[in-house]
Amino acid sequence: MSGGRRRRRWLVLAPVLGFALLALGFGGFLVMVSHGPGEPERHTDGIAVLTGGAERVETGLHLLREGRAEHLLVSGVHPQVTLADLARLAALEPEALGERVSLGPRATTTRGNAAEIADWARATGIRSLRVVTAGYHMPRALLELRRRLPEVELVAHPVVPARLRDPAAGGRARTWSLLVGEYLKLLAAWAGLPYWLGLPLDPPR
């Protein structure tokens, strides 16, 4: 086979192979995001909640109330939101949470969450951390956190939003748009690609 024919064949096969690898990776991503909480009964030093979706904060506050950790950070909370506001969402009294809850107003991206959580974890002496975020967001959150906190043991506690718990969710285009979008963000974060390339990542702070 001549060099020209080999190049033409490669030009045809390369996109097919690339798509196949992406599809295979997406299948692995779906398996990852379908996992439930890791070691749900285990006690950890702290809990970190990454805001941005339903039920995350409520889950973190209830875990703290149940004694699963000594400290909790809600990362990415709006500067005007108070602990009383968050406790109300979880149907808890702020007094029941004591002074164990910290609110982090700085983060506006997943990378920002990781930086904010890392600063808090080191200042608080955290050695094991339960991470609460949506299941589809968990792989990227853990990736960014491991880069910032390699010395801290991370325990995943994914939350499945109500709209994804709906049996009909798998038949909706917006469900697959959400999952594919998050998969592409994970690939970009894994590759360390910068935001200015126009990839569908969180906006820069």
Side-chain angles (χ1 to χ4, degrees), residues 125-178:
I126 299 295
R127 303 300 300 174
S128 58
L129 182 67
R130 185 172 295 277
V131 181
V132 179
T133 189
Y136 59 82
H137 183 232
M138 186 63 74
R140 186 158 59 102
L142 292 178
L143 174 67
E144 298 291 2
L145 281 166
R146 288 188 178 114
R147 286 173 171 167
R148 291 280 186 166
L149 277 175
E151 75 277 16
V152 172
E153 183 181 4
L154 304 178
V155 178
H157 197 104
V159 175
V160 181
R163 65 186 177 120
L164 294 185
R165 293 198 301 268
D166 184 343
R172 294 176 184 149
R174 66 177 183 173
T175 299
W176 292 102
S177 175
L178 171 69

